[in-house]
Amino acid sequence: MAGARGNQRTYRSPLREEAARRTRETVVAAAAEVFCAEGYTGATIEQITARAGVSRPTVFGVGTKAQLFALARQRAATGGRLAANDEHFRQLMAIPDAHRLLTEFAAFTAGISQRLGPLQLALEQAAGTEPELAQLLESSQQELVECARGIVTAAAATGSLRSDITQETATDVLWLQIQPANYRRLVHERGWSHRAFEDWHAATMINALLGPRTTAGKPA
């Protein structure tokens, strides 16, 4: 009998799994709306429940308030994080021209900062009093450092990194440049367009990290 039980297959219902996935997406989307409107401190599970149109146990089945915030933030970044193991990120690092590499990286990170919007502000504001969010902020910053380091390594491999800057300093400069707060301050507070920010973002990266373009061994 024990052997028979061990050979039993776990029953899977595609319809049930699809319904669970949709419910999860509904809850996370509702949580994102509430966090954007109320901030982390002002948001409540009851507000998320009402916005999602589901029961309180259903919401908790997706996660706690802090977990819902982390999921909402991940969703805002198009279902994934800016991480060294991300397929898009690996494609960026394979670009052989450093100027194009930084231009496309600037567009990539500007888009993420745009989508994160008020969720990033809520994270920064709540991290001082909410240990789980403080941990999330710390891990997200470490991700940014590692991604900056990866881009700098790729740029250095092309021979285009400025000779008067170390890779570690270049990493710190790029880490500072890709902070989502830069987007919020220039676009939301100072009224820049997304395109204006993206152009500045790319130009600043290139000017800070790369030497002048060269043609046949001479500056272009």
Side-chain angles (χ1 to χ4, degrees):
M1 293 295 293
R5 284 196 300 269
N7 290 330
Q8 287 179 347
R9 294 181 179 179
T10 302
Y11 174 72
R12 294 180 61 187
S13 168
L15 291 177
R16 184 177 298 173
E17 291 177 356
E18 177 62 16
R21 183 189 66 78
R22 290 184 178 181
T23 297
R24 178 184 174 88
E25 289 182 354
T26 297
V27 170
V28 173
E33 292 174 3
V34 172
F35 287 129
C36 285
E38 306 294 338
Y40 184 81
T41 303
T44 66
I45 293 296
E46 287 71 22
Q47 290 169 334
I48 296 171
T49 297
R51 185 69 62 93
V54 298
S55 67
R56 184 181 174 92
T58 297
V59 170
F60 277 114
V62 177
T64 64
K65 181 179 174 180
Q67 289 169 338
L68 288 171
F69 183 88
L71 289 170
R73 187 177 180 279
Q74 183 177 354
R75 176 180 178 273
T78 64
R81 297 171 297 177
L82 175 59
N85 63 354
D86 179 79
E87 178 62 28
H88 193 169
F89 186 77
R90 289 198 298 269
Q91 292 173 359
L92 284 174
M93 291 208 303
I95 295 174
D97 178 80
H99 285 75
R100 181 178 156 226
L101 166 65
L102 291 183
T103 298
E104 295 201 16
F105 181 61
F108 184 47
T109 53
I112 290 177
S113 293
Q114 180 186 42
R115 290 187 295 272
L116 284 177
L119 286 174
Q120 183 65 24
L121 178 60
L123 175 61
E124 294 167 4
Q125 291 174 334
T129 56
E130 300 288 339
E132 287 184 80
L133 266 62
Q135 185 176 7
L136 176 60
L137 180 60
E138 182 180 354
S139 64
S140 68
Q141 287 298 320
Q142 188 57 41
E143 268 187 352
L144 292 183
V145 170
E146 294 305 320
C147 288
R149 181 172 288 115
I151 293 294
V152 167
T153 299
T158 69
S160 301
L161 199 65
R162 281 172 39 183
S163 60
D164 60 343
I165 189 171
T166 66
Q167 288 194 35
E168 194 59 28
T169 298
T171 295
D172 290 343
V173 169
L174 198 58
W175 165 78
L176 184 64
Q177 178 71 20
I178 61 179
Q179 293 295 322
N182 292 329
Y183 187 92
R184 183 176 71 246
R185 291 189 173 111
L186 290 177
V187 175
H188 297 298
E189 296 180 16
R190 299 301 303 160
W192 286 29
S193 68
H194 178 81
R195 181 57 184 270
F197 176 86
E198 189 178 308
D199 290 345
W200 168 83
H201 198 37
T204 303
M205 287 184 189
I206 290 169
N207 291 336
L209 301 186
L210 306 183
R213 283 185 180 272
T214 59
T215 303
K218 297 181 180 180

